[in-house]
Amino acid sequence: MKILLLLSILSYSVAEIHKSDDVDLLKNGLTELLTTGVAPQYFKDVAKRHQLDLSFSKPPSLMGLSAIDTCDLCGKFVNVVMTMRHIIPEFILKNTIVGACEELKIEANRVCSGVIDPQLDVIFYILKNGKDVKAEKFCTLLLGSSCHNEFDYFNWTIDIPPKPSKLPEKIASRSSKNIRILQVSDLHYDPRYTAGSSAACGEPLCCQDDQGAASDPNDACGIWGDYRNADTSRKVLDEALRHMSTQEVDYVYFTGDIISHRVWSTSEAKNLETEREVLDLLRNTFNVPVLFVLGNHEPHPVNMYAPEEIKTNGLSTKWLFDILAEELKGLISENALKTSEKGGFYTLTLRPGFRVVVLNNNVCGKDNLWLAYDSFDPYGQLTWLVQVLEEAERNGEYVHILHHIPSGHHSCLGTWSREFVKIINRFSETINGQFNGHTHWDEFFLYFDESDPSKATNVAFNGASLTTYSSNNPSYKIYDIDPQNYKVVNFEEWTFNLTAANLQPEKPTVDWYKLYSFRETYGVSSMEPKEINELLTRMIKDKSLLQIYHKYKFRMGSDGYCNDDCHKSNLCRIVTSNVADSYHCDEIMRKYDEQNKLT
Ligand SMILES: *[C@@H]1O[C@H](CO)[C@@H](O)[C@H](O)[C@H]1NC(C)=O
Ligand SMILES: *[C@@H]1O[C@H](CO)[C@@H](O)[C@H](O)[C@H]1NC(C)=O
Ligand SMILES: [Zn+2]
Ligand SMILES: [Zn+2]
């Protein structure tokens, strides 16, 4: 999901080079290439010798390079760019950097230029206009705390009012019938999906109309999709909407990511057209309110949510906020339209006493390079969130919060994550449900009290994904919600078997089935944070539960094998909602080791 851009690519590209003199050659070669515009022969030789062919998405920790080397190279590289910007025209600098990506065979040439070119526009703007821009700041965003302490550059707080000694009474609900909510996430609609083309294409997204037919039948993209790097065709989208609309639900939550992973050929005009098409489709398919959340894939270039003050054409994200507001007209108030237009977030009441807050939390993502320009509470969104929650508390409302990126996701800026968790905990009696997406996995996340780490305060459910990208069976969820307090009572997950579907290409539809329902599968009597926390204790002792969790994570799309490290990683994800705090992850891994005698 994570598209790293050139700086990290170039930094990572030395990853497989263990001989330090080669690292030096590469560093010097890069500097020379950037200074002269010509790749020296020794640089080409190093690149060739190591056949650098690294995927965009590998985290640096998986590669052999030491963190210090990577960090060092990144810093050097940004500094060279900062200096050169004053000496040679930007377009030459751009061509050279794209050339370096091509030379190193980091990606196919068109992917190098398609991804790097527009991202460089953002970088150049920040270098030119940003206050206090340092190479270290960029490299911290790109490489994380292994490079520099993130909090040295990104550390801010939001004012949160204290809890009143007595909470106002909640508005009584007159309904006794469970509310049903359908959650669909991460559509990644791919208008160019072509059955029969190659699913082993060597680019970030395969099955494209311009990638040629598969030479090996095993590599042919299926009629209903592919488990490899492939997104959702129109055929699958239509079939999913057909099936979802047969479900009886009261509301639909769509938790973001409409645009495909063809990240090298996005544009404002193309994205705008696709956004409009899909949002219209969602709105018109269901005859109930559909709440839209923005994902990190909506903007052009991918991940880049520009601050409000950036008005420059091609850099501003205003067009996206405008289309969101347009699609929400009639559903939300004039006031709510204002915040949608400002930063892609809004609030509305679905019925008396039941409020939904939709956030654009893609601004927490470190892939969003605008954070190097200004990271402080982008769009004033968290400050606004506190005000909305305070008012909801005063008015006796319950709240659901929708956002795209789970707050404990490794791509989220630590300070954003920490402040968000503080807000959730302060208002945990008011917030009775959180729903997110982005990971494409069926998973959930627990929030814990800061002063009493044994106390779970909130749960966020991930909507998994409609896209298969990657190893997933397409899916959506239906939640049963208590009509009195709007807590999640249970959910069921719906999916189809992609392998089986592709074996019957003549069938006009696929066989959707209910994969499982949560309470029955995990044997819990409620979905309260406390009960889910106790479930974790049982999971540590019962590997069969952990195996089930892992298989359902992909909706049975992967072979499902999970070893100890894999179980530990799944558990760690569940208990991490504040990315800046590893306490709960460390604890649960320790308990797992203890239980399984691994220490
Ligand atoms: C963030 O800044 C605050 C206030 O200056 C400081 O007390 C705190 O230690 C900093 N956090 C980190 C993780 O460095
Ligand atoms: C999916 O279908 C294939 C082909 O019929 C079958 O081999 C496989 O076991 C099925 N997987 C699941 C999880 O049902
Ligand atoms: Zn996604
Ligand atoms: Zn996403």
Side-chain angles (χ1 to χ4, degrees):
M1 265 47 56
K2 191 168 143 88
I3 302 305
L4 297 163
L5 92 146
L6 87 137
L7 299 179
S8 49
I9 298 165
L10 291 175
S11 319
Y12 296 173
S13 57
V14 282
E16 281 172 359
I17 305 170
H18 301 293
K19 291 219 313 268
S20 65
D21 40 339
D22 276 0
V23 174
D24 285 341
L25 282 179
L26 202 60
K27 275 190 218 166
N28 296 340
L30 267 179
T31 312
E32 199 172 325
L33 172 65
L34 287 170
T35 331
T36 63
V38 183
Q41 190 55 45
Y42 68 85
F43 176 72
K44 291 185 181 176
D45 292 343
V46 185
K48 198 177 281 161
R49 191 149 66 237
H50 296 283
Q51 264 307 310
L52 295 173
D53 179 19
L54 307 173
S55 127
F56 272 49
S57 49
K58 278 187 197 161
S61 58
L62 292 183
M63 331 266 306
L65 189 73
S66 84
I68 294 171
D69 267 342
T70 317
C71 184
D72 186 29
L73 186 67
C74 178
K76 180 152 193 178
F77 183 76
V78 178
N79 278 321
V80 172
V81 173
M82 282 166 88
T83 316
M84 293 312 295
R85 219 178 44 79
H86 301 293
I87 302 169
I88 56 174
E90 270 181 14
F91 78 95
I92 297 184
L93 194 52
K94 256 184 167 176
N95 288 346
T96 322
I97 296 170
V98 170
C101 173
E102 295 175 354
E103 193 71 52
L104 293 169
K105 302 216 182 319
I106 286 160
E107 286 283 350
N109 288 2
R110 67 171 184 177
V111 178
C112 280
S113 57
V115 172
I116 291 174
D117 212 83
Q119 301 218 15
L120 278 177
D121 291 336
V122 176
I123 293 179
F124 287 155
Y125 184 94
I126 298 173
L127 293 178
K128 196 188 278 170
N129 302 290
K131 314 160 277 267
D132 194 27
V133 180
K134 291 193 186 73
E136 290 83 354
K137 218 165 159 180
F138 269 108
C139 294
T140 306
L141 283 183
L142 295 165
L143 302 169
S145 284
S146 63
C147 195
H148 302 282
N149 181 3
E150 190 185 298
F151 288 90
D152 289 348
Y153 303 95
F154 308 96
N155 183 9
W156 40 262
T157 53
I158 300 289
D159 285 334
I160 304 172
K163 223 175 247 195
S165 50
K166 190 169 176 298
L167 286 173
E169 256 183 46
K170 297 290 184 196
I171 295 173
S173 157
R174 267 171 292 156
S175 172
S176 59
K177 193 166 153 270
N178 271 359
I179 299 168
R180 280 166 67 85
I181 295 176
L182 188 152
Q183 184 185 13
V184 53
S185 202
D186 294 80
L187 237 69
H188 294 285
Y189 166 46
D190 180 8
R192 305 183 68 153
Y193 185 93
T194 309
S197 59
S198 173
C201 66
E203 292 190 313
L205 182 67
C206 295
C207 306
Q208 299 297 282
D209 52 356
D210 57 355
Q211 286 168 336
S215 46
D216 178 342
N218 289 322
D219 288 339
C221 299
I223 194 107
W224 290 106
D226 197 279
Y227 288 120
R228 286 162 282 186
N229 290 357
D231 277 329
T232 308
S233 64
R234 184 58 195 250
K235 188 179 165 84
V236 174
L237 179 57
D238 285 342
E239 166 61 7
L241 291 173
R242 179 198 67 77
H243 192 262
M244 288 190 274
S245 65
T246 63
Q247 304 276 11
E248 249 182 66
V249 298
D250 299 285
Y251 309 105
V252 175
Y253 293 168
F254 168 63
T255 37
D257 274 359
I258 285 176
I259 306 296
S260 83
H261 290 84
R262 196 181 160 100
V263 290
W264 66 90
S265 69
T266 57
S267 73
E268 191 177 308
K270 272 192 277 182
N271 287 25
L272 195 142
E273 196 189 312
T274 309
E275 291 287 326
R276 200 188 302 262
E277 185 183 348
V278 173
L279 292 176
D280 280 350
L281 204 55
L282 286 169
R283 204 158 39 81
N284 295 328
T285 296
F286 301 98
N287 49 13
V288 298
V290 184
L291 306 192
F292 303 127
V293 181
L294 293 178
N296 59 306
H297 275 267
E298 313 338 331
H300 165 76
V302 65
N303 299 319
M304 302 297 153
Y305 277 93
E308 206 183 349
E309 68 190 80
I310 307 297
K311 310 268 194 241
T312 318
N313 257 345
L315 293 178
S316 159
T317 326
K318 187 80 172 75
W319 63 271
L320 177 58
F321 300 148
D322 284 345
I323 176 107
L324 176 74
E326 217 174 278
E327 293 285 342
L328 290 168
K329 253 180 210 143
L331 180 65
I332 64 176
S333 71
E334 283 300 315
N335 250 343
L337 285 173
K338 281 195 196 120
T339 55
S340 318
E341 282 166 9
K342 177 189 167 87
F345 54 96
Y346 56 96
T347 179
L348 72 166
T349 44
L350 288 177
R351 48 179 83 182
F354 179 28
R355 174 175 295 281
V356 174
V357 176
V358 174
L359 298 178
N360 167 16
N361 86 329
N362 303 295
V363 293
C364 88
K366 284 184 273 192
D367 303 318
N368 175 21
L369 294 178
W370 286 108
L371 294 178
Y373 181 83
D374 186 6
S375 78
F376 177 70
D377 188 18
Y379 312 124
Q381 184 175 207
L382 290 179
T383 309
W384 168 87
L385 175 63
V386 169
Q387 284 163 8
V388 170
L389 290 171
E390 227 186 329
E391 202 174 314
E393 181 181 82
R394 210 166 33 240
N395 295 340
E397 294 173 328
Y398 285 109
V399 173
H400 280 183
I401 294 184
L402 278 50
H403 51 272
H404 182 63
I405 304 182
S407 64
H409 195 265
H410 61 83
S411 70
C412 213
L413 196 67
T415 194
W416 200 100
S417 184
R418 180 191 65 201
E419 295 306 297
F420 182 73
V421 171
K422 275 196 222 160
I423 296 170
I424 296 299
N425 283 340
R426 160 64 184 83
F427 293 99
S428 61
E429 281 96 344
T430 296
I431 303 161
N432 269 352
Q434 289 193 73
F435 305 85
N436 49 37
H438 186 60
T439 68
H440 300 188
W441 288 335
D442 176 20
E443 52 185 348
F444 58 88
F445 308 100
L446 267 183
Y447 287 68
F448 294 93
D449 196 305
E450 287 106 338
S451 50
D452 177 6
S454 69
K455 189 177 162 212
T457 56
N458 227 263
V459 189
F461 296 100
N462 198 287
S465 66
L466 194 59
T467 184
T468 53
Y469 200 103
S470 36
S471 302
N472 297 305
N473 279 323
S475 72
Y476 66 87
K477 282 181 176 175
I478 294 180
Y479 297 87
D480 266 311
I481 306 288
D482 186 319
Q484 302 298 320
N485 56 27
Y486 311 97
K487 285 181 181 171
V488 174
V489 183
N490 203 354
F491 75 73
E492 51 193 46
E493 176 117 23
W494 286 77
T495 189
F496 67 87
N497 180 338
L498 178 65
T499 311
N502 280 339
L503 286 173
Q504 292 176 288
E506 68 295 341
K507 267 187 71 172
T509 58
V510 300
D511 296 321
W512 293 90
Y513 68 102
K514 189 170 93 180
L515 180 62
Y516 74 106
S517 55
F518 192 93
R519 260 170 59 182
E520 289 71 14
T521 299
Y522 293 107
V524 289
S525 58
S526 84
M527 311 270 280
E528 305 261 345
K530 183 170 180 290
E531 180 96 12
I532 302 274
N533 198 16
E534 282 161 16
L535 166 64
L536 289 186
T537 310
R538 266 196 294 127
M539 280 170 110
I540 293 172
K541 294 189 185 129
D542 184 349
K543 285 251 177 73
S544 67
L545 281 179
L546 283 171
Q547 285 295 357
I548 287 174
Y549 185 79
H550 189 72
K551 277 199 282 194
Y552 288 172
K553 189 170 154 186
F554 302 90
R555 287 80 82 202
M556 318 281 276
S558 83
D559 68 3
Y561 178 72
C562 197
N563 62 16
D564 284 323
D565 282 343
C566 158
H567 289 317
K568 278 158 74 173
S569 146
N570 283 342
L571 288 165
C572 174
R573 292 177 69 88
I574 295 175
V575 297
T576 305
S577 48
N578 172 1
V579 75
D581 178 6
S582 66
Y583 172 81
H584 294 281
C585 172
D586 295 343
E587 266 303 286
I588 203 153
M589 299 217 281
R590 189 185 58 73
K591 284 183 192 154
Y592 182 96
D593 285 346
E594 209 173 82
Q595 181 67 35
N596 293 284
K597 313 222 169 353
L598 294 174
T599 41

